[in-house]
Structures are given as structure tokens and as C-alpha cells.
Amino acid sequence: MSAPELLDLDATALAGALRAGDVSPVEALDATLDAAAGVGAAVGAFTVLTPDLARTQALAAQDALVAARRDGRAGPRDGLPPFLGVPCPVKDLTMVEGVPMRAGSAAIDPFPAPDDDGVVTLLRRAGTVMVGKTSTPELGLPCYTEPDVGPTARTPWDLARSAGGSSGGAAAAVAARVVPVAHGSDGGGSLRIPASACGLVGLKPSRGLVSPGPYGVDGAGLATHGVLTRSVRDTAAFLDVLARPWPGDTFTARLGAPPDGRRLRVGLLLEPVIAADAPVHPACADAARAAAELLVRLGHDVVEIPPPFGAERWDAFAALWSVGALQAPVPPEREHLLVPLTRWLRERGRAVSGLAYATALAGVQQLTREVAAAWSGVDVVLSPTLAQPPALVGSQRVDDDPAADFAAQTAFTPWTSVWNLTGRPAVSLPLGEARVTDPDGSSATVPVGVMLGADHGDDALLLTLAARLEEAAPWSRRRPGTSS
């Protein structure tokens, strides 16, 4: 198997090829590291590579696979981890024992993490090979990945444009065919935004389904871990890997049963929610409408629905977001090293009183009830993932006016954070395209995501529907440099 063929496999197919002996874990790692040094560097995917750790893991995986084949245990019931030997990097907001971590910030000196975070432990148990840490913006706060201390993450579809954020490096690595899957996290859209910008599948699971434990806590419950992939089956399989509780979890959820094949009622939401006047690019709206038409052809009912609440009600999220930025352990003497957006958010966080914070939490819980009531008549909500195609690098970061920077981000992402507020699952699928023109006059075809969301705990329903859409309108043939 050639390196390009190997790197074009999704994680499930690669795991099968490794088990069959068509390729070895060391060969897969060598191809991955070569790609990371080449196209991975061009798209700004990694903040640090870990070749020694990865080689140790790949050699151990190779020994286990050889032993299984020798003992006649190779196959679906061989007792081996499901993704043994499959490369999977980790976002640089998450600890990997002994690997330097900086969280995209000049205010934080790189330090070797003392432990594996819980999701890293689970990825190790699944047999994945940790090839490096992926680039993230400072503290994972903005929807673009342009850190001062690491590479800018670019969508491989058009290197003049952003891979999104905050899991931008992870998305760039998967879309550029460096790795088949990458860990990420989502506090306001940080898996789904780069999924849309890079033509990938990005699921934000239900609140409580993927635990932040044992070293992290849920806080306000906005953020969760997940993965970026090129196929729905990989996303579903890695949700099985990560959906494990840790003792003492604040929020808990279980994967629901797969749907029974019934006719679904789908609500089409085209109006922006958190930024009522946000301009919506025609390609983004058209992608959602085309997905709605496809769902009708698949036998489901689609009705248009309005936003579930007024844009001004979103202020509760802004208060929680700014206090979350303030909670980052930045020494006072290094505060000046933070980027302007982070300093502005932390100042806003300092202005939130205890009463205001409690009121914001109550406001979010009340909004969750109102959204449940407003959407009680539909099984799934369909919308564009983003209001625009991938943004030009540098166009969203506004250092001399952080308030304008934040406002532009909300206009760019007027649907994603609703699902973080309510804790419901949502997935971005690469169902659309847009033709864009860059400042130098060149043009490119870039991906446009469509988002599906469901009730809390209905992750299985969401993924089943996503798989039907993938089957009906396959995107695997599309890759950077090509168009459907």
C-alpha cells in the first residue's frame, strides 16, 4: 500500500488494514510523520510532534498485531483495542503526560504535562498512536486559529483561508490527509466550525456524554471533548471510545438507542440566532436548503422554524465565556503577554459580579427550557453551520478592537453556541461548497458545512441520520484541490 493510499483511508479502514497486515503500524507512522512535516506544516496543523512517543506506541501495536496473527486471533473478536496503531493527535488544550503544553499562549511557558487527561487515557486504551499536539488559538477562545506562539491553521482547500477554531490544527491535519482522526473540543462551536471550514465531520456530543474527568471539571457545562473525522462511521466509533464516565462527574448522559427508522420531523432554521443581523452567504443557506430537500427525498418531513429566542438573550453565554477566560491560570505578571482579545475577555470577566454570574447560569438554564419547548415539535434542527465560507486568514483577528473581533465572531457563528448553551448534540457535515475569490484574484472551491442538532441524549439518532445523508450525498470523493 502506497503512502497516499494509506493516508487516504479513514480511521476504520486503516484499523482494518493494520489488522489484516496490509500495512504495519510503523509504516503508518512513517507516512504520517512525513506528511506532518510536509503538508501538515503548510496548513499549520501541529504545535509539536512527538515522534519518539509515537514510535514507541507504534512498535508496541505492531508486536500486538503480529502476536495476534501468530496465535490465530486476528479478526473482529481478537480482543485487541479497536484502533490499534491508528495515528490520532491531541489538541494542545489537553494534557498528554510528558508532552509540552502551552495552550496557544505566550503567557504560558511550555511545561511537560504531569498526567494524561481522561480522554487521552481513553484514546490510548483504544490503541491510537499519539503523533503530536495540534495548534489552537490562545486558551481556545476564538473561532480562528492564529496564535502568537504557534502556526496559523489553514484550510487545505485554500491556504489563504482559516481552518477555523479553536480545533483548527486538528481539522487541518485531518483534512490534509496527515491523520484520519484528531482529538478536539467544543465550547461554542470549536469542533463544528473547523469541520465546516475543512470539509469534515464534527460532532459536539450531548452534555455529560464525554467526561472532562478525572482532572477536569464541567464548570458551566458549555464545553466537551470530541473528534474530527472524514466519515460518520469514524465519528460514531470514536464516540463509543470517549463516552465513558469518570467517578464524580457533575453531568452524566448515556448513548441512546439507535432510532427505529421512523419518519422524522426536521425543523429548518435559516435565520441567525445569536446575531440577528448577521449576513448569511448564499452558499451557506443553499447548502442547508439542499440538505432539507435531500431529507425530504429520504422520507422525512421538513418545516421552517424561527429562532427559539431573541439574540439579546444570548448575553448569558457571553458572561459565562468571559468568566471562563478569566479562570485560566495566568500569572498577573504575564497578563500583558496575552493577546488583546483574551485580555479584553478577562476584563469583562472581572466585571461580572457573583450575582451576575449566578443570574447568567440561571438564564442559560431558562433558555434551555425555552428551547426545549420551542423545538418540541421537531426531532432534528437543520441549519447552516456557519454564516460564511472559511474566512481569510487575518480577517477575523482585530487586535486594535477586541470588541469588534468578538462581534465578528458571533456574526460568523450565529448558530453553533446554541447547542453548547442547551447541552444538546449537534454535528456539522460537509454537504455544501462555495466558490470564493482571494485578494490576489485567485479562486477556489471551499467546503460549507450543514449542521444537524437533536434533543439531549439523541446522539445516536443524529449520527444515524448523518450516515444516511453521507450515503445519499457522499463527500469522500471530494478533497482539497477537487470539486464535486
Side-chain angles (χ1 to χ4, degrees), residues 15-16 19-20 65 68-69 72-82:
R19 268 177 163 67
L65 287 165
R69 285 194 289 271
R73 292 185 291 112
R77 299 186 182 277
D78 54 18
L80 296 175

Side-chain angles (χ1 to χ4, degrees), residues 158 160-161 435-444:
D158 181 357
R161 294 180 181 269
R435 193 70 179 168
V436 295
T437 302
D438 294 340
D440 64 0
S442 63
S443 61

Side-chain angles (χ1 to χ4, degrees), residues 297-308:
R297 293 200 296 274
L298 291 173
H300 302 295
D301 297 318
V302 176
V303 295
E304 289 203 28
I305 58 174

